[in-house]
Amino acid sequence: MRAAPPPSGGRRPLPRRPLLGVALAGAAAACAQAQTAEPRGNPALNPPPGLWQIARERGLTFGSAVQANLLNSDPFYAAAYEREAGVLVPEYEAKFAALQPEEGKFEFGGFEAIIRWGQNRARTTRGHALVWHNAMPDWARAAIGESAQRARGVMEAHITRVLGQTRNTIRDWDVVNEAVANPPGSDVPQATGEMRDTPWLRALGPGYVETAFRIARERDPTLRLTLNDYGVEEDTPAATEKRRRLLALVRGLIRARVPLDAVGLQAHLQIDKPFSAPVFAEFVRALRAEGLAVLVTELDLREGSTIAAEYPERDRLVAERTYAFTSTAIEAGVRTFLTWGLIDKYSWTVTDTGVARQGGTHHRGVPLDWEYNRKQMWRALARAFRGERPDPDGWFR
Ligand code: 9MR
């Protein structure tokens, strides 16, 4: 999947160390100049250690979603992942449609390419996602719709084959993704009750979640089994309700002794929505109190239409929210941080027209800019991982 060329105005990186007191207009001019001078993934701007090494120093794990075709075709992309990511998550290659495009015909090529690339560099790969309502081939949707028995058979066959394949290489899988319905007030609300209306829910009822986890545990008893969801990080009424729903689902599973080991919080954050550190920390602690690990699985930020700031202030706002969120999560006991991509150019927040920024600029919500160079968000993560503060004036230089 190739991204469109950068929209004008969206690609000016912040100079690495702008002088204090330089007026914004001057800084913007310097940025424009710096951009033409900076090569992709400029080694001078991206010296070791990378984020995964900085995280490791503090007993944390850092990684990112990755695209196999880009690892293979773009040496700057591969170099950025080699520098920064300790864990790889296939952005598409381990989804149902990629692995089983036809019933019974499994294709592991892209997925295995990522696993091998990681193994050659002593990095691990995490699986995403066994049971989801998106990235499903037509045949599976149709089959699941036939009967409960057929749906259960499709689920069992898929999980069995895939976990058999990755038993020796992957120890951490998102078993069920996005099971909770979006409450009223969400960006995309669903008026269907607490569980998301999916082919799996329709065929098997709410028990499909339990079924998937039980099959996964049976097939690979020492695998870490994760329930992954989004829309629970911010301090809005919709997020409050979604937290309640997710917690209720989790507690129900635990009470029923369903083999659940971890909850993944995707963290596709939007900085025009409020974030409350105490509210989010309390939620993480409530999940951990159930005996679960809590992972941040898909961190990225969108700026929303109400953010009118220009560069480099926009980058500062993204970094500020990244820092607040990440340091709160660390404090509350999260040990794994994965971003959903590393480089703006290839982020779904840029390539997916449903969420892309309007008006000629693009979101800058992953750690590296259009030229594969570190920006303030990278430094916000590094500082949060190290337990360091922002600069006294709130910047991340
Ligand atoms: O970023 C992914 C995009 O490239 C795919 O087209 C899409 C459908 O498979 O999935 C995107 O990733 C999603 C992830 O799997 C689950 N959480 C939301 C992510 C962004 O949409």
Side-chain angles (χ1 to χ4, degrees), residues 62-66 81 85-90 297 337-343:
F62 176 79
S64 173
V66 68
Y81 277 78
V87 175
L88 308 166
V89 189
T297 49
F337 291 86
L338 309 167
T339 53
W340 206 242
L342 280 180
I343 303 149

Side-chain angles (χ1 to χ4, degrees), residues 35-263:
Q35 183 194 320
T36 48
E38 280 170 17
R40 286 177 165 188
N42 185 346
L45 299 181
N46 304 280
L51 280 177
W52 71 287
Q53 292 156 314
I54 295 169
R56 198 177 52 180
E57 287 288 298
R58 189 113 177 272
L60 306 171
T61 299
F62 176 79
S64 173
V66 68
Q67 299 176 40
N69 61 332
L70 292 170
L71 267 189
N72 190 33
S73 62
D74 178 349
F76 295 103
Y77 182 94
Y81 277 78
E82 181 147 9
R83 251 177 9 235
E84 311 291 359
V87 175
L88 308 166
V89 189
E91 188 166 340
Y92 188 78
E93 295 79 349
K95 291 173 180 171
F96 200 121
L99 294 182
Q100 199 184 170
E102 285 177 53
E103 184 158 20
K105 286 200 166 172
F106 286 82
E107 291 181 8
F108 288 100
F111 191 11
E112 290 286 352
I114 291 172
I115 294 171
R116 263 197 315 279
W117 190 94
Q119 282 177 328
N120 290 337
R121 292 157 182 83
R123 315 297 164 90
T124 53
T125 298
R126 135 167 240 281
H128 170 85
L130 291 170
V131 174
W132 191 30
H133 58 279
N134 274 339
M136 292 222 336
D138 291 344
W139 75 261
R141 268 179 206 284
I144 291 166
E146 283 170 22
S147 69
Q149 197 189 8
R150 178 90 164 98
R152 157 117 201 173
V154 169
M155 179 188 279
E156 190 160 356
H158 187 76
I159 295 179
T160 301
R161 177 73 180 88
V162 174
L163 292 191
Q165 179 81 15
T166 62
R167 199 184 176 92
N168 295 323
T169 46
I170 296 198
R171 306 313 308 145
D172 185 15
W173 262 98
D174 286 332
V175 177
V176 175
N177 193 33
E178 301 174 0
V180 177
N182 289 337
S186 308
D187 291 350
V188 188
Q190 288 124 12
T192 52
E194 301 209 354
M195 300 288 287
R196 182 187 285 266
D197 181 17
T198 74
W200 297 112
L201 183 86
R202 286 184 186 195
L204 297 169
Y208 86 87
V209 176
E210 167 167 355
T211 302
F213 278 94
R214 291 200 189 283
I215 295 171
R217 175 60 34 100
E218 222 178 272
R219 297 299 180 270
D220 190 345
T222 60
L223 182 68
R224 176 157 78 173
L225 308 181
T226 301
L227 174 70
N228 198 43
D229 218 317
Y230 74 93
V232 292
E233 299 84 4
E234 280 140 352
D235 189 21
T236 61
T240 303
E241 170 59 11
K242 199 161 176 182
R243 278 193 288 275
R244 191 194 63 71
R245 292 178 179 187
L246 180 56
L247 204 51
L249 171 63
V250 163
R251 286 179 171 153
L253 294 171
I254 299 284
R255 262 199 310 276
R257 299 188 176 280
V258 174
L260 170 68
D261 302 310
V263 171

Side-chain angles (χ1 to χ4, degrees), residues 239-321:
T240 303
E241 170 59 11
K242 199 161 176 182
R243 278 193 288 275
R244 191 194 63 71
R245 292 178 179 187
L246 180 56
L247 204 51
L249 171 63
V250 163
R251 286 179 171 153
L253 294 171
I254 299 284
R255 262 199 310 276
R257 299 188 176 280
V258 174
L260 170 68
D261 302 310
V263 171
L265 308 178
Q266 293 185 8
H268 295 290
L269 306 181
Q270 298 183 43
I271 61 177
D272 57 354
K273 293 190 173 171
F275 173 71
S276 159
V279 166
F280 180 65
E282 187 190 321
F283 179 59
V284 171
R285 292 201 176 101
L287 291 169
R288 292 188 62 228
E290 299 298 326
L292 303 171
V294 179
L295 290 65
V296 169
T297 49
E298 304 184 17
L299 176 66
D300 58 25
L301 291 89
R302 278 172 278 159
E303 297 156 77
S305 48
T306 58
I307 304 296
E310 247 310 319
Y311 296 96
E313 173 67 4
R314 268 178 62 203
D315 276 5
R316 192 192 68 76
L317 294 171
V318 167
E320 183 177 73
R321 179 58 58 88

